[in-house]
Amino acid sequence: MAIAPCAFPLSRGAERARADRAARVHCPFPLARAPVTMDASEFRRRGKEMVDYVANYLEGIESRLVYPDVEPGYLRPLLPSSAPEEPETFEDIIGDIERIIMPGVTHWHSPYFFAYFPTASSYPAMLADMLCGAIGCIGFSWAASPACTELETVMLDWLGKMLRLPDAFLAGDASLGGGVIQGSASEATLVALLAARTKVTRRLQAAFPELTQAAIMEKLVAYSSDQAHSSVERAGLIGGVKLKPIPSDSNFSMRAAALQEALQRDKAAGLIPFFVVATLGTTNCCSFDNLLEVGPICNEEDMWLHIDAAYAGSAFICPEFRHLLDGVEFADSFNFNPHKWLLVNFDCSAMWVKQRKDLIGAFKLDPVYLKHGHQDSGLITDYRHWQIPLGRRFRSLKMWFVFRMYGVKGLQAYIRKHVQLAHEFESLVRQDPRFEICMDVTLGLVCFRLKGSNQLNETLLKRINSARKIHLVPCHLRDKFVLRFAICSREVESAHVQRAWQHIRELADEVLSLDRA
């Protein structure tokens, strides 16, 4: 006999007794009760302790070596060879964080971390992540969690308006477009490429029914600047299409003439150009492809234009940097990472499309167990049709918390502070005649090097990272080995930049002395 649902909350004891009765009714053998290692009361206590630990970690992060002093394989000898048979205490686990985990952590939020690009962090976003974990929904459809879907739609509209995106990218009542949170810019590029591939294949098969999908696939070709991120090339590999690099100009920018030349050559060879990735704020040197030149060509040639602005996109909320996005109106899709520079913790990669049917048409499958009564209402979207994975976390909570607690003006001030610090570092470098600046400083990245050989600069970088006081990574600009200095930490101040530069100069003295010897 089934136990009727209860119309009011049961006490813990009543809930347990009811579960026991249900087990006796339905189960022919005794059920073992799993051990309870943490109840709500202990969770409250331990949760407060963890918040204190996190706050202390972040407040004291400046005193830690930014780059870990460990060798590959350091961790395995510190752990048992198999999982424990019996529960262990929370105190033991916490104690092992400092003994086992922290020695192997690269501290991305240290004010002496100047590598790669920023990874965003803020207390409001951390609190939202905690709530996201507690709610624990898997928001693949509106029915799976209406708030998860609808808040994401609204937050992408909020952010789109902050960027002053064309209305076609927003999810208004009459719009055909909209925004979605992907896991990374790499995912967004792949999603755009797959959607473009599906779109052109269906178009060609409708016009030429005799063409097979395989025949079309082998002729498809995509393009990006030779400065584009490696994830663009990887998208081509996964998507099974040729991806060709377009030579960039003296400012490391993709221009119309070079793209046109490649298109003419490939069309003459019988290939089918269908997809272009334009990068705004390249990883190497924060260069910008010329959208106002490339965009019209893509529209004329009926090629999908995807914009990857993973790092730089956050800056476009500032009016003085918005011109760097001019030409976005030519794009079919646009993406950047709030989890890089907009104080929203990883992962949160914002992507917009002009025609959401292009994504849905590429990825939509509707097994009966995922259908619900509102999916054809036209009022909502099921984001499982907009992405590679089925499931998704309630990531828009982070955006909601951060946007409300900082406000647009607070976020703009944060971007401007980082740009100011980058220009401060640039000024310090220019004052030392032994060094050179290798690229105009537009946002928060400075590309610099010692005047001299690549070997000299490789030695300098090795010494910098071996000292573990600051952390940098390099790039190649044409034939030059270049050091990148990116303003990253939420807590970085002028004093940190000044100390970092003094440290670099001291190590440069040593390297140049050895070189002369």
Side-chain angles (χ1 to χ4, degrees):
M1 177 178 180
I3 298 174
C6 185
F8 51 89
L10 297 173
S11 69
R12 186 176 302 158
E15 287 178 339
R16 188 173 292 123
R18 176 175 161 184
D20 288 343
R21 289 197 302 275
R24 287 196 298 273
V25 169
H26 296 290
C27 187
F29 49 85
L31 293 177
R33 181 174 292 131
V36 178
T37 59
M38 184 178 289
D39 59 15
S41 176
E42 187 178 6
F43 175 72
R44 286 189 178 92
R45 181 163 64 93
R46 299 304 191 184
K48 291 171 184 175
E49 291 174 5
M50 181 56 76
V51 168
D52 284 340
Y53 180 86
V54 169
N56 290 336
Y57 163 72
L58 291 172
E59 287 183 335
I61 198 170
E62 184 174 342
S63 65
R64 296 178 184 263
L65 289 177
V66 63
Y67 192 62
D69 188 10
V70 296
E71 296 297 326
Y74 91 95
L75 188 143
R76 183 175 286 275
L78 301 177
L79 294 176
S81 59
S82 57
E85 293 292 333
E86 300 295 334
E88 297 184 359
T89 66
F90 188 75
E91 287 87 352
D92 288 341
I93 298 169
I94 289 296
D96 282 345
I97 290 176
E98 288 295 334
R99 184 177 71 89
I100 298 173
I101 303 302
M102 285 301 175
V105 170
T106 300
H107 298 286
W108 281 64
H109 301 295
S110 167
Y112 294 114
F113 182 93
F114 301 105
Y116 310 108
F117 274 135
T119 180
S121 175
S122 68
Y123 293 118
M126 291 181 217
L127 292 174
D129 255 346
M130 187 183 296
L131 179 58
C132 173
I135 292 173
C137 66
I138 311 297
F140 48 79
S141 70
W142 180 88
S145 188
C148 179
T149 294
E150 296 197 18
L151 185 64
E152 183 164 335
T153 303
V154 175
M155 287 303 99
L156 269 294
D157 274 2
W158 278 17
L159 185 53
K161 290 175 182 177
M162 289 160 61
L163 298 165
R164 287 185 289 151
L165 288 180
D167 288 345
F169 288 105
L170 306 182
D173 292 339
S175 174
L176 301 176
V180 59
I181 300 175
Q182 305 286 359
S184 66
S186 305
E187 280 184 44
T189 301
L190 176 59
V191 165
L193 182 142
L194 294 177
R197 190 188 73 180
T198 299
K199 184 177 181 180
V200 70
T201 299
R202 289 175 178 171
R203 185 177 74 226
L204 289 171
Q205 286 186 316
F208 308 98
E210 71 278 6
L211 283 177
T212 64
Q213 182 175 346
I216 295 171
M217 281 281 293
E218 69 180 10
K219 292 183 176 297
L220 292 180
V221 59
Y223 306 90
S224 69
S225 162
D226 58 10
Q227 298 299 308
H229 193 272
S230 60
S231 63
V232 178
E233 182 179 1
R234 191 165 184 264
L237 290 173
I238 296 172
V241 299
K242 303 175 188 70
L243 181 81
K244 296 192 174 185
I246 302 299
S248 55
D249 69 5
S250 59
N251 291 316
F252 305 100
S253 173
M254 178 167 61
R255 304 292 299 274
L259 178 60
Q260 281 280 30
E261 181 180 342
L263 293 177
Q264 291 169 4
R265 181 173 59 250
D266 288 342
K267 286 193 294 183
L271 297 178
I272 305 171
F274 81 106
F275 184 73
V276 174
V277 178
T279 306
L280 302 182
T282 60
T283 301
N284 278 340
C285 62
C286 200
S287 59
F288 292 80
D289 291 338
N290 194 315
L291 281 183
L292 291 172
E293 289 185 1
V294 169
I297 295 173
C298 293
N299 288 183
E300 291 164 9
E301 298 286 345
D302 207 6
M303 296 186 299
W304 184 299
L305 174 60
H306 175 70
I307 297 174
D308 174 10
Y311 162 66
S314 296
F316 303 154
I317 69 169
C318 299
E320 64 269 32
F321 299 122
R322 176 55 179 78
H323 70 278
L324 296 169
L325 188 56
D326 288 351
V328 67
E329 61 272 15
F330 298 110
D332 297 276
S333 54
F334 166 69
N335 166 257
F336 85 98
N337 291 342
H339 68 231
K340 274 191 169 65
W341 206 11
L342 213 57
L343 296 170
V344 180
N345 293 19
F346 187 87
D347 59 344
C348 183
S349 187
M351 178 184 185
W352 291 265
V353 290
K354 274 184 181 172
Q355 296 285 340
R356 55 180 175 264
K357 66 179 177 60
D358 291 333
L359 292 191
I360 295 170
F363 300 114
K364 185 172 182 178
L365 290 173
D366 254 340
V368 67
Y369 49 80
L370 295 180
K371 290 184 177 180
H372 57 89
H374 298 283
Q375 66 184 37
D376 298 319
S377 67
L379 299 175
I380 53 92
T381 187
D382 284 349
Y383 278 123
R384 71 180 189 273
H385 303 314
W386 295 51
Q387 60 179 19
I388 302 297
L390 175 67
R392 58 210 332 276
R393 299 171 68 245
F394 201 163
R395 293 176 292 203
S396 56
L397 281 171
K398 295 183 288 192
M399 302 175 79
W400 194 43
F401 275 45
V402 168
F403 294 168
R404 294 181 69 185
M405 295 195 73
Y406 280 90
V408 176
K409 290 183 178 179
L411 295 171
Q412 290 171 335
Y414 177 69
I415 297 292
R416 287 165 177 153
K417 174 186 172 184
H418 274 202
V419 175
Q420 180 182 352
L421 290 173
H423 284 296
E424 180 178 345
F425 183 79
E426 176 195 15
S427 176
L428 293 170
V429 175
R430 290 191 184 279
Q431 292 171 34
D432 190 325
R434 300 173 302 173
F435 286 86
E436 61 181 336
I437 296 292
C438 305
M439 178 66 183
D440 290 343
V441 178
T442 305
L443 298 177
L445 176 67
V446 182
C447 291
F448 72 108
R449 69 194 302 272
L450 278 169
K451 295 175 181 176
S453 69
N454 284 345
Q455 181 61 51
L456 190 70
N457 284 278
E458 290 173 15
T459 302
L460 174 59
L461 180 65
K462 185 175 181 180
R463 289 199 170 222
I464 289 170
N465 287 330
S466 296
R468 294 178 168 82
K469 290 184 178 180
I470 65 174
H471 186 36
L472 305 181
V473 295
C475 70
H476 274 103
L477 295 179
R478 304 289 187 246
D479 58 347
K480 288 186 176 181
F481 184 89
V482 173
L483 281 64
R484 298 169 71 264
F485 189 94
I487 304 297
C488 292
S489 171
R490 178 169 50 88
E491 299 297 331
V492 66
E493 300 289 347
S494 174
H496 300 112
V497 171
Q498 297 277 345
R499 284 195 285 269
W501 173 239
Q502 183 59 34
H503 179 58
I504 292 169
R505 291 184 71 232
E506 290 170 359
L507 293 177
D509 290 341
E510 297 176 10
V511 169
L512 289 169
S513 176
L514 289 172
D515 186 60
R516 286 191 293 269

